[in-house]
Amino acid sequence: MQITAQALAHFLGGTVEGNPEVTVNRPSKIEEGGEGSISFLGNLKYEKYAYTTTASVLLVSQDFEPREPLSATLIRVEDVYGAVGQLLQQFGAQEAGVSGISERAVVSPQASVAEGVAVGDFAIVSEGAMLGPAAVVHPQVFIGRNVKIGARTVLYPGVRILDNCIIGEDCILHANVVIGSDGFGFAPQEDRSYQKIVHVGNVIVEDRVEIGAQTTVDRATMGSTIIREGVKLDNLIQIGHNVEIGAHTVIAAQTGVAGSTKIGRYCRIGGQVGFVGHAEIADGTQIQAQSGIAASITEPGKAWFGSPAIPYRDFIRAHSVFKKLPDLYRSLSRLQRAFDAAEKKGRD
Amino acid sequence: MQITAQALAHFLGGTVEGNPEVTVNRPSKIEEGGEGSISFLGNLKYEKYAYTTTASVLLVSQDFEPREPLSATLIRVEDVYGAVGQLLQQFGAQEAGVSGISERAVVSPQASVAEGVAVGDFAIVSEGAMLGPAAVVHPQVFIGRNVKIGARTVLYPGVRILDNCIIGEDCILHANVVIGSDGFGFAPQEDRSYQKIVHVGNVIVEDRVEIGAQTTVDRATMGSTIIREGVKLDNLIQIGHNVEIGAHTVIAAQTGVAGSTKIGRYCRIGGQVGFVGHAEIADGTQIQAQSGIAASITEPGKAWFGSPAIPYRDFIRAHSVFKKLPDLYRSLSRLQRAFDAAEKKGRD
Amino acid sequence: MQITAQALAHFLGGTVEGNPEVTVNRPSKIEEGGEGSISFLGNLKYEKYAYTTTASVLLVSQDFEPREPLSATLIRVEDVYGAVGQLLQQFGAQEAGVSGISERAVVSPQASVAEGVAVGDFAIVSEGAMLGPAAVVHPQVFIGRNVKIGARTVLYPGVRILDNCIIGEDCILHANVVIGSDGFGFAPQEDRSYQKIVHVGNVIVEDRVEIGAQTTVDRATMGSTIIREGVKLDNLIQIGHNVEIGAHTVIAAQTGVAGSTKIGRYCRIGGQVGFVGHAEIADGTQIQAQSGIAASITEPGKAWFGSPAIPYRDFIRAHSVFKKLPDLYRSLSRLQRAFDAAEKKGRD
């Protein structure tokens, strides 16, 4: 996208100061800049860069008063951060890079493909699958039998959606995500080997869910593993069979949720957290990175930390003593000796 | 699969109570049910659902005595859980979704393909590879040169088996598993950069092994990384070069095993556990989730917890004091002050 | 590769003792050996195997004096380990298994492909992409629009490089690596849902970087996520948006680095470590496996351990007391009771 300062100012509801004909084709950070880029000054801490930046256009607030000469054309707006958000959307809204049904894709004649769907090279859409309007299936994606993909959902290269799983509308699944692999369930046998438990359930991903690269969501033994509306999962996360993640919960990278655990709505969960199976986690729970949740959490809206996790503040206090444990140990030994000496003296 | 209650009862060795002609096409949970589904009552805790479930057929034990009217047709069996297992097998034993050799696959003329093998679209079978009878290679799988795949083994979409690796019979490798990536080995140079150590070994996966989605098993520097018979690995696990996992050991998701470590047989290892390299872990060891194993474990059959891990019970006890560390710290300070005061008084 | 002992000795600058015409086709461990293999005796601890090994050729040091008869042909060299390194390179330097541009690949006419490039079956090279001389693109790889791949860089099967990312020269990206997935950034809305923050930046991977299987590197919101020269990343690592990893830093498997954190040069980071976002980590920092880095580290060259991490030695000392916490707790209680009794007695 190539756009003039004038056109951008119009789009953002701002006013131009400088050359309205200068064009930009990308956003930049103010300290990096570069000709042809548009940068912004949101926090006056970075003001010094405004005078040295090589960005062609600078987005500033209405009341910004330069104290030195500037080379960039200014666009003044009311809300700098709001305008930056609009800007990123604008520059990011490039074409998907895939359009129409590639003749190198395999789309089963028994699949149903709505209008405006794109299917990339070497992608597979199996029999009984349904792709909603304007769904984007990037190259090398696998869509199993009877899978449903909602309208406008985007599947990046290498995504695998196995048989019978359902993905909602306006979802984004990043590269190499796996949805619907078998859960990890085995019945111990008398000879101490394990017998696989067949998984006949599926995975349901509701609307407006984003799932990060390489994340795996296992299918249910029976019934469904469910990722509710608006959930955001980062990369390399493991979601076990029959798990349910409540609406608008966000989970950072490399966290794992063991089988049958139900996580509430509006939770905020750090990276590398582990959840035991069969637990229930209350709405609005916040969990620090690397914590281990070994049991259900019933009180909503509380913060937790540690492995196994305890209330956040308790952990912070306990950990501050943990660091001093060698001192504490020595103090106790010293006191014991002093006491013993006093006792002995008392007896003498 | 569509089957009548009568036929199912026959298959399960049970007896019908109600309409023998009602048909079911899927299993369900008793609290979810749904017309056309078969559910089960294994634990009387769920008895109330027996009277409200919309499942068409309900599997119950021979001695179950309903206390209210039921709408579902009953099938009475001796062992409800056993019957459920058979049922899941039956409903799960659908076709693989791939049969024959796709003309959109690339199978090298120098590969050897046994009878009954299926190779899906856009899969690659390189020269020198051998596929055993009835092996199932799903679409978009990569099989490198001289790879051997045993009879009836199933490779899900996106699996990558790199050159010279060997997979046994009756294995299941889930989507996007990588077998035979190079180990992480580098020789530090004088200029503080690193020189890659070439990995000329391979990976051997024995029979009846299941490997979860996105798990990686690195090839040996020389010799073989070995996953013994009956091992079950969950999703997103990392197995380093020259590691050996003993027969019938199970490992939960996101655990990592560093290079050259040997894990014994019949171990049970939780999720997100880390193993140091070059350790030996005794048979039957049990390790709690998120533990860190920093040294060899020589005594078989013991349980461990913590990072670095200590014996399970010791950890539980130590952690229960950890939570009280601030109290302990205050108690000690208070006692010290009281003692000092007493001492001072004694001296006065 | 099939080579005679004579030819190998010549290549390694060594001398033959025994049959110079015996041929070998692979390296082996001395305790495993095998006819047609070449093994080595580097450490005299393994000397006993020299007399029993079935390897056809044995690499030994110039001053090795056998105390028993040997069946293997010897090659004597000055530096055994150096020779083994050369040997592994030699045997490892097999053909890439892919050469030329497969007619089953899709290479955009708007892509630029240098001399000697190989592109495997079902790989995709999108418009505007540039492949440097002798780059190796294995089958089933995805290369997005405007991606640059440096000379001699190898992309293993299933690698996904998304639009606008740049990979340097002599890099190795193992199977299923994802470069350029969107960062995990969402703006909380008033209704407590989240709005995606568009990511218009890219990823820059400099020269001589190796990235392990299934590792993900997210693109920057704006600007670039940067992996500097000579960095080595193991498998299943997560690198967040706008992160920078300094030159020649090595990171073991399953570690995660949250957004905008800058890690210094020559750092050595264990497996399953977590880094908070927006931190700066000094050059030469060493971090033990499973540690959690919750803040910036300013002093270079120090070692850290624990979650949250503290200086390595402090952690080791504190952890040694942690194990004794129940004893410490009992000792304190006992002392308190003894003191109380003494006090009471004093008062009586």
Side-chain angles (χ1 to χ4, degrees), chain A residues 56-115:
Chain A
S56 299
V57 176
L58 196 59
L59 214 55
V60 297
S61 72
Q62 230 121 37
D63 54 4
F64 169 62
E65 297 184 13
R67 292 175 304 180
E68 299 181 26
L70 296 135
S71 66
T73 291
L74 300 185
I75 297 181
R76 292 184 179 279
V77 292
E78 207 139 310
D79 171 9
V80 173
Y81 285 110
V84 168
Q86 283 182 273
L87 209 65
L88 288 179
Q89 293 283 3
Q90 189 65 13
F91 280 101
Q94 41 189 356
E95 328 79 89
V98 45
S99 64
I101 313 285
S102 164
E103 56 186 22
R104 293 183 210 89
V106 175
V107 179
S108 164
Q110 276 86 52
S112 144
V113 176
E115 262 185 63

Side-chain angles (χ1 to χ4, degrees), chain C residues 324-337:
Chain C
K324 294 183 284 196
L325 275 183
D327 289 345
L328 193 143
Y329 187 77
R330 275 190 296 271
S331 300
L332 177 59
S333 302
R334 207 183 305 119
L335 182 56
Q336 179 77 56
R337 283 195 304 273

Side-chain angles (χ1 to χ4, degrees), chain C:
Chain C
M1 200 183 75
Q2 186 91 5
I3 189 167
T4 63
Q6 184 62 66
L8 254 186
H10 181 76
F11 168 69
L12 298 170
T15 53
V16 177
E17 228 170 280
N19 178 6
E21 294 310 316
V22 65
T23 61
V24 293
N25 58 22
R26 66 185 187 282
S28 67
K29 291 201 241 180
I30 193 168
E31 65 269 40
E32 295 176 351
E35 203 186 311
S37 79
I38 172 167
S39 195
F40 69 96
L41 177 63
N43 184 331
L44 285 180
K45 200 169 78 175
Y46 296 98
E47 182 178 346
K48 62 177 179 188
Y49 294 116
Y51 309 114
T52 58
T53 187
T54 56
S56 299
V57 176
L58 196 59
L59 214 55
V60 298
S61 71
Q62 231 121 36
D63 54 4
F64 170 62
E65 297 183 13
R67 293 174 304 177
E68 300 180 26
L70 294 136
S71 66
T73 290
L74 299 186
I75 296 180
R76 292 184 178 278
V77 292
E78 205 138 309
D79 170 9
V80 174
Y81 286 109
V84 168
Q86 282 182 273
L87 209 66
L88 288 179
Q89 293 282 0
Q90 190 65 14
F91 281 102
Q94 40 190 355
E95 329 80 89
V98 47
S99 64
I101 314 285
S102 164
E103 55 186 23
R104 293 185 209 88
V106 175
V107 178
S108 163
Q110 276 86 52
S112 144
V113 175
E115 262 185 61
V117 164
V119 180
D121 299 330
F122 311 131
I124 291 168
V125 181
S126 303
E127 65 188 79
M130 297 176 61
L131 306 185
V136 178
V137 177
H138 276 267
Q140 301 162 329
V141 164
F142 177 82
I143 295 179
R145 290 171 294 173
N146 309 315
V147 165
K148 289 190 184 64
I149 307 289
R152 295 170 302 283
T153 281
V154 178
L155 309 179
Y156 277 97
V159 166
R160 320 287 171 194
I161 317 270
L162 295 149
D163 294 359
N164 305 315
C165 293
I166 296 171
I167 313 291
E169 302 188 344
D170 298 299
C171 292
I172 300 174
L173 274 61
H174 287 284
N176 286 359
V177 159
V178 173
I179 304 289
S181 37
D182 283 352
F184 195 63
F186 300 92
Q189 305 296 294
E190 280 192 18
D191 67 355
R192 299 178 70 194
S193 73
Y194 292 90
Q195 172 82 32
K196 180 179 178 62
I197 293 173
V198 174
H199 281 66
V200 299
N202 72 346
V203 176
I204 296 173
V205 174
E206 295 190 348
D207 299 342
R208 286 174 291 287
V209 169
E210 184 160 343
I211 301 183
Q214 314 273 28
T215 282
T216 60
V217 184
D218 283 349
R219 71 177 57 238
T221 316
M222 279 189 284
S224 301
T225 304
I226 304 177
I227 313 293
R228 294 280 178 209
E229 181 191 353
V231 164
K232 311 297 179 191
L233 302 181
D234 200 351
N235 299 349
L236 290 164
I237 287 172
Q238 152 67 359
I239 304 292
H241 54 139
N242 294 88
V243 163
E244 180 175 336
I245 310 285
H248 305 294
T249 280
V250 294
I251 305 185
Q254 297 175 318
T255 283
V257 184
S260 300
T261 283
K262 313 283 181 220
I263 295 181
R265 300 179 309 148
Y266 302 110
C267 295
R268 285 162 51 197
I269 296 162
Q272 299 180 336
V273 170
F275 288 85
V276 74
H278 297 273
E280 301 216 5
I281 308 301
D283 291 351
T285 295
Q286 293 163 49
I287 301 175
Q288 279 297 114
Q290 294 193 326
S291 297
I293 305 301
S296 290
I297 293 175
T298 53
E299 202 183 332
K302 288 200 63 181
W304 298 79
F305 199 2
S307 174
I310 59 178
Y312 179 80
R313 279 157 175 257
D314 294 350
F315 179 85
I316 295 295
R317 285 195 202 103
H319 190 261
S320 75
V321 180
F322 171 81
K323 293 188 264 189
K324 294 183 284 196
L325 275 183
D327 289 345
L328 193 143
Y329 187 77
R330 275 190 296 271
S331 300
L332 177 59
S333 302
R334 207 183 305 119
L335 182 56
Q336 179 77 56
R337 283 195 304 273
F339 177 77
D340 291 347
E343 281 284 88
K344 184 162 187 295
K345 194 168 143 204
R347 276 199 304 275
D348 290 346

Side-chain angles (χ1 to χ4, degrees), chain B residues 87 128 208 210 218 243 259 270 308 326:
Chain B
L87 209 65
R208 287 174 291 287
E210 184 160 343
D218 283 349
V243 163

Side-chain angles (χ1 to χ4, degrees), chain B residues 221-259:
Chain B
T221 315
M222 280 190 283
S224 301
T225 304
I226 305 177
I227 313 291
R228 294 280 179 211
E229 180 192 353
V231 164
K232 311 297 179 192
L233 301 181
D234 200 351
N235 299 350
L236 290 163
I237 286 171
Q238 152 68 357
I239 304 293
H241 54 139
N242 293 86
V243 163
E244 180 176 335
I245 311 284
H248 306 295
T249 280
V250 294
I251 305 185
Q254 296 176 318
T255 283
V257 185

Side-chain angles (χ1 to χ4, degrees), chain B residues 184-198:
Chain B
F184 195 63
F186 301 92
Q189 305 297 293
E190 282 192 18
D191 67 355
R192 300 177 70 194
S193 72
Y194 292 89
Q195 172 82 34
K196 180 179 178 64
I197 294 173
V198 174

